[in-house]
């Protein structure tokens, strides 16, 4: 605990997705039991990431929880220099800034496909949106394809839709 402010910050790209909202809710409840408060910053771009971190570190938060991972090298440098503890969540990766709690998107998708195959399913497909730069979705697609190839199935059964479609 760095500044003893009893405040932890969370940075998330969205609160629209129930997974992020559920994580924030659970974090709030757990921290409150320990006498901490939670503040949140919505961060949708790399530029916003640096701005948000500067503001949060300037408030001397005791730690920062990132829903995802720090994308910007300047943001990483800022956190390291400040000494503020950081936990990057959702995604395990080799270049974590400080601490990480998450899972492998590739392995989770591959395990889901293997489970379906073991349950006797043979016509398995994946529906998603065009990943562009979303590394997590790209890893899920690759995990799907890995498991399908292992089983001799059709790893091309992936349908990607335009992410801008609403409703």
């Amino acid at each position: 605990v760095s500044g003893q402010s009893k405040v932890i910050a969370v940075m998330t790209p969205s609160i629209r997705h129930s997974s992020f909202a559920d994580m924030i809710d659970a974090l709030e409840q757990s921290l409150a039991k320990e006498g901490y408060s939670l503040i949140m910053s919505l961060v949708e771009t790399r530029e916003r990431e640096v701005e948000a971190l500067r503001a949060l570190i300037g408030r001397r938060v005791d730690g920062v929880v990132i829903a995802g991972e720090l994308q910007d090298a300047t943001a990483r440098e800022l956190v390291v220099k400040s000494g503020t503890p950081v936990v990057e969540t959702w995604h395990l990766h080799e270049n974590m800034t400080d601490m990480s709690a998450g899972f492998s998107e590739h392995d989770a998708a591959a395990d889901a496909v293997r489970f379906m195959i073991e349950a006797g399913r043979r016509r398995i497909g994946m529906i998603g949106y065009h990943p562009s730069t979303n590394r997590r979705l790209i890893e899920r697609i690759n995990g799907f394809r890995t498991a399908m190839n292992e089983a001799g199935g059709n790893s091309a059964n992936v349908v990607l839709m335009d992410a801008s479609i609403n409703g």
Side-chain angles (χ1 to χ4, degrees):
V1 179
S2 62
Q4 293 299 316
S5 65
K6 300 299 271 184
V7 175
I8 302 295
V10 64
M11 290 175 37
T12 180
S14 174
I15 54 174
R16 290 184 203 122
H17 304 290
S18 64
S19 298
F20 291 139
D22 289 347
M23 181 196 80
I24 293 166
D25 185 47
L27 189 58
E28 171 74 29
Q29 291 179 34
S30 296
L31 290 170
K33 289 177 186 174
E34 301 299 322
Y36 283 84
S37 294
L38 182 71
I39 60 174
M40 183 178 72
S41 182
L42 291 174
V43 178
E44 295 178 339
T45 66
R46 286 181 177 213
E47 295 79 21
R48 179 72 184 111
E49 183 176 83
V50 174
E51 292 171 18
L53 276 173
R54 279 197 180 110
L56 296 170
I57 291 169
R59 299 271 187 265
R60 301 200 184 279
V61 296
D62 289 340
V64 180
V65 176
I66 310 290
E69 63 189 281
L70 289 175
Q71 301 289 319
D72 188 273
T74 302
R76 287 178 182 274
E77 185 178 318
L78 184 64
V79 168
V80 170
K81 283 184 179 179
S82 75
T84 304
V86 172
V87 179
E88 295 167 292
T89 64
W90 288 98
H91 180 72
L92 291 179
H93 55 95
E94 295 175 11
N95 299 319
M96 66 182 161
T97 305
D98 187 10
M99 296 171 269
S100 180
F103 56 94
S104 164
E105 303 279 351
H106 177 278
D107 293 351
D111 287 347
V113 170
R114 289 182 192 112
F115 176 82
M116 287 185 272
I117 291 168
E118 289 171 11
R121 305 292 186 247
R122 294 294 170 254
R123 296 175 59 196
I124 302 169
M126 180 175 182
I127 299 172
Y129 59 91
H130 288 284
S132 64
T133 60
N134 185 330
R135 191 180 71 211
R136 292 184 301 273
L137 182 54
I138 292 167
E139 289 184 19
R140 287 181 209 140
I141 292 168
N142 290 339
F144 169 84
R145 289 183 171 147
T146 295
M148 291 299 287
N149 286 334
E150 289 171 359
N154 185 353
S155 65
N157 284 345
V158 177
V159 176
L160 300 176
M161 302 172 71
D162 182 357
S164 67
I165 296 173
N166 292 320

